[in-house]
Amino acid sequence: MGIVATSDGRGYWIACSTGGVFNFGDAPPHGSAKAGTPGLPIVAMAATPDGGGYWLADANGTVFAFGDAPRLHPVAAASPVAGLAVTPMGTGAFLAEQNGTVLGLGTAASDGSLSDVSATSPVVSIAEVVVPPPTISPMTSPRPTARSKPSGARQTTVPPSALRSSRPLSP
């Protein structure tokens, strides 16, 4: 049914449509949906941003939480669910239905769907957007000017090669 990598990329979980979840590499076991659970088959899986848990979604719109994944209230899907995508903070999720409707759960607010568009084929998945943390580079940081120097402050000139070095700078 699906495979999801751990946050460090050194392991993964494989989920089956029957609700079984198998862990490989450094992926810790967090549990499985029990066989015979109403709403099966499981159709989608997504991991928490920290890799400490995951969600399984069934075709009816119920989302099962495992590990540190927060519980998300079920929704009544009008069409079978095709995919699950988690918000960057892991506090909400989007369910994509085969008819193109996107449902928001938790803190996820749907920004639109394909349900108003005449699709010739059913939707089969939804992709997560991974937002990398911002980085600050010394080469792109604003440099102080002579006008911004406080009175009495000593001006130090740092050679550009030192900005790219990991060695500590001395005054």
Side-chain angles (χ1 to χ4, degrees):
M1 185 291 312
I3 183 169
V4 176
T6 57
S7 57
D8 65 7
R10 289 188 239 152
Y12 53 89
W13 297 276
I14 295 177
C16 299
S17 63
T18 58
V21 177
F22 304 91
N23 56 303
F24 299 89
D26 71 351
H30 294 302
S32 299
K34 293 181 171 51
T37 301
L40 290 178
I42 297 297
V43 296
M45 180 183 195
T48 59
D50 67 0
Y54 47 80
W55 295 270
L56 299 176
D58 71 16
N60 295 331
T62 301
V63 177
F64 303 92
F66 298 91
D68 69 359
R71 304 245 179 265
L72 300 172
H73 295 287
V75 294
S79 173
V81 170
L84 172 69
V86 178
T87 60
M89 296 301 293
T91 55
F94 300 97
L95 285 177
E97 296 181 357
Q98 289 180 2
N99 69 1
T101 300
V102 177
L103 305 169
L105 304 172
T107 60
S110 178
D111 290 324
S113 64
L114 297 174
S115 60
D116 297 331
V117 178
S118 231
T120 57
S121 301
V123 170
V124 296
S125 185
I126 185 171
E128 292 181 24
V129 176
V130 179
V131 180
T135 57
I136 299 174
S137 167
M139 298 307 288
T140 59
S141 298
R143 296 183 187 263
T145 64
R147 283 182 244 147
S148 65
K149 184 174 83 168
S151 62
R154 178 176 76 155
Q155 183 162 352
T156 304
T157 303
V158 179
S161 61
L163 294 174
R164 291 185 289 272
S165 171
S166 60
R167 62 186 162 85
L169 299 175
S170 57

